[in-house]
Amino acid sequence: MAEIRRRRCVVVDVNGVKVGGSHPIVVQSMTNTDTADVTSTVNQVMALAQAGSELVRVTVNTKEAAAAVPKIVETLSMFGVRVPIIGDFHYNGHLLLKQYPECATALAKYRINPGNVNIGRKTDDNFRTMIECAIQYGKPVRIGVNWGSLDAALQKRMMDENAKLAEPQDAAAVTKRALVVSAVESARAAESYGLGKERIILSAKVSNVQDLVDVYRMMAAECDYPLHLGLTEAGMGAKGIVATTAALSVLLQEGIGDTIRTSLTPLPNGDRTEEVVVSQQILQSMGIRSFTPQVTACPGCGRTTSTFFQQMADEIQTYLREQMPVWKEKYAGVEEMKVAVMGCIVNGPGESKHANIGISLPGTFEEPKAPVFVDGALVTTLKGDGIVAEFIGMMNEYVERTYGASQTAA
């Protein structure tokens, strides 16, 4: 694992998942189903948990959603899914938590947006009510600020104060500062109402990469609460993945961040679990955590006019990810295994030697054979139509031999 010095902060326990301190950075996600639809929500939570989401957030915005939460948690438990469920509240959370104590009890954590909870009020009574519920039911909270719903009164006050300065800052700088102030002051207010520091996580999300980096650097310097990272409304496809990776990588490299989410916009009926895979890949690519064996594959060039090596690399990566739910229970450390599927003689043998197990497929006009390397040594050469199946068989043997119970015990 990479030697990145993590920022010091308190540790928050979310139903057994430790966030902060020296604990592993936690991957989380959020459903996009109607929470009142118990079956759909349970199915999506199960899929997200199976993909590796360690916390899952659900929208709690109506009486029907609040009433469904205990059923969702109970059904998940019946299926053996223990992932903590977080309630995402806006506007009416203070009412729902009071009116539906079974919901307040079933949730593992509450997400509170201070910009939405007290709209139209001169006091923070609604915010205080939610904090008192967290105290009553022994729940942690994430105080999550978002620049799309920043506390308007706070922003106006800070803009007015800025305008009176001899050298006022631009509006963007004041807004970023207001995000930090909103999060930190809300956390300190929660503490003043009796919520322990060890039950508070903060976030302050924006949708611009550089702004996110600026905001979290400020927040990290001013408090020791655990921080949840995420580029809000990151977007679709490559744009969302690249923007999130760019922002989070900078902060993670600086030791900032204790839990992360990749907020991708899925295609209609798209796979929600993609955001979990992206978050895991960010952490694994940086050497911070390992989740599944990684496949190194060349991009292809004029030497590799056949698409066979691309298809094989995809089959191998898919096979590894599908095997991980079983492998992680049986083979300690298998998530750190490295596999190479290369396309020609130029870098193929060398890259394969660097992997735990690797195969160098023949490029265009090369002899139709594929040398296989295990822990740097050539062990065999595969030929014919059964290369993929044979290589998968060799991988399975390697996993059993290297990470099996006898090796773990040794």
Side-chain angles (χ1 to χ4, degrees):
M1 296 294 97
E3 292 296 328
I4 296 174
R5 186 174 181 179
R6 293 273 295 282
R7 158 186 168 271
R8 282 191 172 187
C9 68
V10 299
V11 177
V12 175
D13 188 324
V14 185
N15 264 21
V17 176
K18 302 293 179 64
V19 179
S22 59
H23 294 280
I25 295 169
V26 174
V27 171
Q28 63 177 278
S29 54
M30 184 176 184
T31 59
N32 62 355
T33 57
D34 178 357
T35 306
D37 184 340
V38 173
T39 300
S40 295
T41 303
V42 165
N43 287 339
Q44 191 170 91
V45 171
M46 290 177 66
L48 291 167
Q50 178 81 0
S53 185
E54 294 157 306
L55 301 172
V56 176
R57 185 159 40 112
V58 301
T59 298
V60 187
N61 59 335
T62 63
K63 294 180 178 180
E64 292 77 12
V69 165
K71 300 174 187 176
I72 291 166
V73 173
E74 181 182 1
T75 305
L76 289 167
S77 181
M78 289 172 57
F79 283 102
V81 178
R82 311 294 181 190
V83 63
I85 302 300
I86 301 161
D88 190 70
F89 294 98
H90 297 268
Y91 310 113
N92 60 352
H94 59 294
L95 299 174
L96 295 176
L97 286 172
K98 281 290 189 181
Q99 294 170 4
Y100 294 86
E102 296 87 356
C103 170
T105 301
L107 291 168
K109 186 177 73 169
Y110 311 151
R111 185 278 173 111
I112 306 172
N113 183 339
N116 285 338
V117 72
N118 291 310
I119 285 182
R121 299 179 64 89
K122 294 183 178 180
T123 67
D124 67 350
D125 289 351
N126 294 352
F127 176 80
R128 182 169 185 159
T129 296
M130 296 187 73
I131 296 301
E132 288 172 347
C133 286
I135 295 169
Q136 178 181 354
Y137 296 105
K139 306 297 180 179
V141 303
R142 170 161 70 92
I143 296 174
V145 183
N146 192 304
W147 75 347
S149 51
L150 183 57
D151 183 334
L154 171 67
Q155 188 173 22
K156 181 179 184 304
R157 171 171 63 81
M158 293 184 65
M159 287 290 187
D160 290 344
E161 291 171 354
N162 179 67
K164 296 176 183 177
L165 297 176
E167 296 182 11
Q169 295 180 305
D170 61 36
V174 178
T175 299
K176 286 187 284 188
R177 182 65 198 156
L179 284 164
V180 176
V181 170
S182 178
V184 174
E185 286 190 354
S186 296
R188 289 173 180 158
E191 284 193 71
S192 74
Y193 300 147
L195 187 66
K197 176 177 279 191
E198 74 285 354
R199 289 186 181 173
I200 300 173
I201 297 171
L202 296 188
S203 67
K205 293 187 176 183
V206 302
S207 57
N208 177 278
V209 171
Q210 296 294 353
D211 289 337
L212 191 82
V213 172
D214 291 344
V215 166
Y216 273 90
R217 281 174 174 166
M218 279 191 282
M219 197 153 59
E222 294 185 24
C223 71
D224 60 353
Y225 304 104
L227 300 180
H228 167 63
L229 302 187
L231 192 73
T232 191
E233 291 97 34
M236 299 179 70
K239 185 268 181 184
I241 293 171
V242 172
T244 296
T245 303
L248 269 56
S249 296
V250 172
L251 293 166
L252 292 169
Q253 189 67 30
E254 295 179 6
I256 299 171
D258 304 286
T259 172
I260 67 172
R261 181 191 173 202
T262 299
S263 299
L264 297 180
T265 304
L267 293 170
N269 301 314
D271 187 352
R272 189 67 166 180
T273 64
E274 181 185 14
E275 66 175 45
V276 179
V277 175
V278 172
S279 291
Q280 291 177 331
Q281 196 60 56
I282 290 170
L283 294 174
Q284 187 147 355
S285 295
M286 294 184 69
I288 294 173
R289 285 188 69 182
S290 293
F291 298 93
T292 188
Q294 298 289 282
V295 175
T296 298
C298 66
C301 67
R303 295 176 179 271
T304 55
T305 51
S306 168
T307 61
F308 179 69
F309 84 93
Q310 297 163 305
Q311 296 165 354
M312 183 172 179
D314 182 58
E315 286 185 48
I316 296 298
Q317 185 70 78
T318 300
Y319 177 80
L320 292 171
R321 185 164 287 281
E322 290 174 348
Q323 288 297 111
M324 274 309 295
V326 177
W327 280 1
K328 70 180 180 182
E329 301 297 329
K330 295 177 60 179
Y331 304 118
V334 68
E335 66 276 5
E336 297 185 13
M337 183 174 72
K338 293 179 173 58
V339 180
V341 179
M342 301 300 291
C344 80
I345 198 171
V346 174
N347 291 317
E351 195 69 57
S352 297
K353 290 177 184 177
H354 289 304
N356 296 110
I357 180 169
I359 185 169
S360 179
L361 297 167
T364 308
F365 306 124
E366 291 179 20
E367 188 177 351
K369 61 181 183 179
V372 177
F373 297 83
V374 175
D375 290 331
L378 176 64
V379 295
T380 191
T381 299
L382 303 180
K383 299 179 181 180
D385 297 331
I387 286 179
V388 175
E390 290 182 62
F391 185 71
I392 287 177
M394 293 183 68
M395 275 200 315
N396 288 330
E397 292 173 5
Y398 182 85
V399 169
E400 174 64 37
R401 184 172 66 251
T402 306
Y403 304 101
S406 60
Q407 293 299 317
T408 304

